[in-house]
Amino acid sequence: MPEPTSLDSTPPRRDFIREMVAEDVATGRFNRGPATRFPPEPNGFLHMGHAKSICLNFGIATEFGGTCNLRFDDTNPLTEDVKYVDAIKRDISWLGFTWDNELYASDYFEKLYEIAESLVIGGKAYVDSQSEEEIRTNRGTVTSPGTASPGRSRPTEENLDLLRRMKAGEFPDGAHVLRAKIDLGHPNMIMRDPLLLRIRRDAHHYRRGTAWKIFPLYDFAHGLSDAIEGITRSLCTLEFKDSRAIYDWLVAAAGFTAPPTQIEFARLELDYTVLSKRKLLRLVTEGHVNGWDDPRMPTIAGLRRRGVRAEAIRIFAETIGVARKDARVEIGAFEHAVRNDLNMEVPRVLCVLNPLKVVLTNYPEGLVEELTAQNYPHDVPKTGTRTIPFSRELWVDRDDFMEEPPKKFYRLAPGREVRLRFGYLITCREVVKDAAGQVVELRCTYDPETRSGNPPDGRKVQGTIHWVSAAQAKSCEVRLYDRLFAQPNPDDVPEGKDFLSALNPHSLVVIANAKVEPGVALDPVGTRYQFERTGYFMSDEESTAEKLVFNRIVGLRDSWVKEVNKGQK
Ligand code: ATP
Ligand code: MG
């Protein structure tokens, strides 16, 4: 009897699926270790919902010393493509998982066809010549049984002959289908003689070319593919609950002993986004986003491009767990996981998104000081310092100045003193405006005694703001990504409208000319930072030394002032 491998420090999580797997192991039900699979159809990129399934299937294999296959459920020649196969493999690897075998349902076409013949010979399947439309109508309703078609009583020899000729490409699409012969009065509609194979005579399958003329339907291919691979537990989402009956019927009819069993769990649905390849494909093809890896997309590729780390996705998947009932998850829960992960990992730098010039009138012209800045706050295990240039002309953020501030505004205002992060205290003496009355410059003085950030006389200065030295700062483009949809459930729209009407028109705001401290220009593309007081950012793959581009990964939950008060200064 196989023993579960103990994970030295972390005990395996226990949810209802893991309980069942643990029981399989304890009772030796399958005479082998747990075997799971992740079965994507290569018709789109993977999204967060898939990530949940990946973490579950691969996680169980690791925790219980079993195996997990990557099986492409590629039985529909009309929608699948090798570019999706490549993207799916890349995304799973990036998430940190390794499959035991890379398999393709399309490699089972011969085997599935053999099973189809054996079902016909055993009187368990027949060729129906009704159209799919007629079949649907004649299937009956929940309250009335279906009507048998003439094909249902066809002699075995004739069925076999038709099936062979379907395979040989003698008939056009729709001329015949193969159906299981089960029960037209079955209370589960799926069991009323489900379709098994249909003709797609001229279709081009991305792996099998045009040689293959009949294609298995999902229910026919899925369970049997699991059985062929020796899967023990087939994990799928709740909408397949009714399919479990046909799953069990088929693996039994095909003669598999110790066949896999299906366990259903809740789909992940996330607020403010859609987790459906069909809908994501529309966003891509209709140009609402810039491709599958647009940083606003809930795809693995989009999240990666945005700057989210795989660790955060894995931790999020673990946190939400698996349940038997569908429920939407707040996007805030995901953002929380992303922020927590980045907080511990990424260095802090200063970047001014909305620059306003500050001139320090009493600072020597031409002098450049190098101030020491900490790369991490005190409550993060990482340490390190860097130097940042300081000079007479600085950029600060427009939001940190108010001409007529309310009471609790502790930043710059006429006559007010603030602390510059890692630097001096400055006082605003004069506000310079252009002809239109727009503030274009603040003329300030600095206190040379306050380089440490603290005045020797102990006077209280509440506010600390970020800044960069104007002459040395690098201009950069900053892409502020926000939620893709303007409402929690994008499908909750008035009749006649679809989810596209719920798109957030402000999901991307581009700041063309932000100012960042110069050191970041030396970092490789894909470096992540916290821009202090602003959020978490990563340099985009389009970023170059000449034109820096940053993506906002996620904003900050706490204001930076709060963090500073915790002990930085
Ligand atoms: P979509 O509706 O986005 O096309 P799908 O279920 O058709 O999703 P598949 O490629 O067939 O996509 O899915 C591969 C695996 O991922 C399946 O086992 C499926 O159950 C699982 N999966 C897909 N979406 C989710 C989700 N939102 N939550 C959890 N698991 C999911
Ligand atoms: Mg599917």
Side-chain angles (χ1 to χ4, degrees), residues 26-222:
T27 58
R29 175 161 178 238
F30 291 101
N31 286 320
R32 58 185 187 276
T36 57
R37 85 289 171 265
F38 174 65
E41 183 177 357
N43 61 354
F45 277 50
L46 298 180
H47 53 61
M48 285 291 291
H50 295 112
K52 172 177 176 174
S53 174
I54 290 168
C55 291
L56 184 62
N57 281 292
F58 284 92
I60 285 175
T62 311
E63 289 157 32
F64 292 91
T67 57
C68 182
N69 290 343
L70 168 58
R71 180 177 73 239
F72 290 98
D73 246 348
D74 55 351
T75 56
N76 182 354
L78 305 181
T79 53
E80 296 159 1
D81 197 288
V82 68
K83 73 175 181 221
Y84 297 126
V85 169
D86 295 340
I88 288 168
K89 285 163 64 176
R90 177 177 180 206
D91 289 348
I92 299 172
S93 299
W94 178 78
L95 276 175
F97 298 103
T98 312
W99 45 90
D100 288 276
N101 302 289
E102 176 183 332
L103 302 165
Y104 294 81
S106 57
D107 285 340
Y108 306 147
F109 284 170
E110 284 81 0
K111 180 82 194 156
L112 292 172
Y113 177 76
E114 268 174 44
I115 292 171
E117 279 208 356
S118 76
L119 293 176
V120 167
I121 291 164
K124 291 179 180 156
Y126 62 96
V127 173
D128 194 345
S129 311
Q130 299 180 108
S131 70
E132 288 194 29
E133 183 62 46
E134 287 168 318
I135 292 174
R136 232 183 328 263
T137 324
N138 292 336
R139 189 162 268 161
T141 66
V142 239
T143 47
S144 62
T147 333
S149 84
R152 203 170 201 270
S153 46
R154 234 192 270 275
T156 300
E157 277 316 308
E158 207 180 307
N159 277 323
L160 206 52
D161 174 62
L162 283 172
L163 178 60
R164 286 176 179 161
R165 288 164 60 198
M166 282 164 66
K167 176 169 180 274
E170 284 188 29
F171 305 114
D173 293 9
H176 307 285
V177 293
L178 185 73
R179 292 179 75 178
K181 193 172 187 174
I182 304 177
D183 180 358
L184 286 170
H186 203 287
N188 178 349
M189 297 294 286
I190 288 183
M191 295 297 274
R192 295 190 183 178
D193 292 11
L195 272 61
L196 304 180
L197 290 169
R198 64 154 71 103
I199 301 169
R200 288 284 177 266
R201 192 169 63 172
D202 305 313
H204 182 272
H205 186 274
Y206 77 105
R207 290 183 82 243
R208 304 297 306 256
T210 48
W212 205 259
K213 307 295 181 194
I214 46 176
F215 289 86
L217 279 94
Y218 174 87
D219 283 328
F220 184 46
H222 193 80

Side-chain angles (χ1 to χ4, degrees), residues 43-44 47 274-285 292 491 499:
N43 61 354
H47 53 61
V274 290
L275 296 182
S276 147
K277 275 183 287 182
R278 192 174 46 78
K279 289 181 190 147
L280 296 175
L281 179 66
R282 280 194 64 193
L283 292 175
V284 173
T285 53
W292 286 99
D491 290 316
F499 72 106

Side-chain angles (χ1 to χ4, degrees), residues 48 270 303 308 312-313 316 330-339:
M48 285 291 291
L270 257 185
L303 296 167
V308 171
I313 297 176
F316 173 67
E330 284 180 26
I331 190 83
F334 178 58
E335 291 170 350
H336 178 77
V338 173
R339 216 178 268 126

Side-chain angles (χ1 to χ4, degrees), residues 235-505:
L235 312 182
C236 67
T237 44
L238 285 172
E239 67 270 25
F240 293 104
K241 204 170 187 123
D242 285 345
S243 289
R244 198 202 296 180
I246 183 64
Y247 188 109
D248 292 342
W249 187 90
L250 277 165
V251 293
F256 285 96
T257 50
T261 48
Q262 181 177 298
I263 311 176
E264 305 89 14
F265 64 94
R267 283 181 85 75
L268 172 64
E269 292 295 348
L270 257 185
D271 278 352
Y272 295 98
T273 194
V274 290
L275 296 182
S276 147
K277 275 183 287 182
R278 192 174 46 78
K279 289 181 190 147
L280 296 175
L281 179 66
R282 280 194 64 193
L283 292 175
V284 173
T285 53
E286 296 174 25
H288 300 288
V289 294
N290 301 315
W292 286 99
D293 71 344
D294 185 302
R296 289 167 292 183
M297 291 280 271
T299 51
I300 309 295
L303 296 167
R304 176 173 58 231
R305 171 109 186 240
R306 183 155 170 166
V308 171
R309 299 192 334 137
E311 285 80 352
I313 297 176
R314 294 203 306 262
I315 286 170
F316 173 67
E318 205 172 289
T319 319
I320 55 173
V322 283
R324 283 192 176 91
K325 253 184 99 180
D326 281 327
R328 299 187 69 82
V329 175
E330 284 180 26
I331 190 83
F334 178 58
E335 291 170 350
H336 178 77
V338 173
R339 216 178 268 126
N340 270 2
D341 173 61
L342 294 170
N343 178 40
M344 290 297 166
E345 283 297 320
V346 305
R348 276 55 173 172
V349 298
L350 304 183
C351 177
V352 174
L353 293 192
N354 202 0
L356 173 63
K357 178 69 72 68
V358 162
V359 178
L360 302 175
T361 52
N362 62 337
Y363 193 87
E365 301 245 11
L367 177 65
V368 180
E369 285 181 85
E370 291 292 334
L371 303 183
T372 301
Q374 286 137 26
N375 295 345
Y376 299 92
H378 66 100
D379 55 351
V380 162
K382 295 190 166 188
T383 55
T385 58
R386 67 190 186 284
T387 57
I388 45 176
F390 185 84
S391 66
R392 194 168 187 271
E393 295 199 357
L394 312 172
W395 296 113
V396 300
D397 203 291
R398 263 181 197 280
D399 292 345
D400 285 332
F401 170 77
M402 275 185 101
E403 199 164 10
E404 287 165 38
K407 228 183 177 160
K408 294 222 158 152
F409 187 81
Y410 296 121
R411 294 168 268 166
L412 275 175
R416 293 270 180 93
E417 187 173 37
V418 293
R419 178 183 296 107
L420 295 178
R421 179 71 162 147
F422 304 122
Y424 296 97
L425 302 184
I426 62 167
T427 304
C428 178
R429 304 292 177 187
E430 195 188 330
V431 179
V432 182
K433 295 182 182 174
D434 63 12
Q438 151 105 310
V439 177
V440 290
E441 186 179 301
L442 303 178
R443 300 182 73 79
C444 303
T445 54
Y446 87 114
D447 178 348
E449 301 301 311
T450 56
R451 179 161 166 169
S452 70
N454 287 313
D457 64 4
R459 70 182 183 272
K460 254 192 125 67
V461 177
Q462 293 251 33
T464 302
I465 64 170
H466 63 289
W467 55 277
V468 289
S469 176
Q472 294 81 15
K474 300 285 179 195
S475 291
C476 57
E477 177 176 315
V478 176
R479 299 174 181 169
L480 299 176
Y481 292 107
D482 205 345
R483 293 164 183 185
L484 189 49
F485 290 90
Q487 59 188 54
N489 183 353
D491 290 316
D492 191 9
V493 286
E495 239 189 88
K497 300 224 167 185
D498 69 2
F499 72 106
L500 293 172
S501 67
L503 277 165
N504 172 11

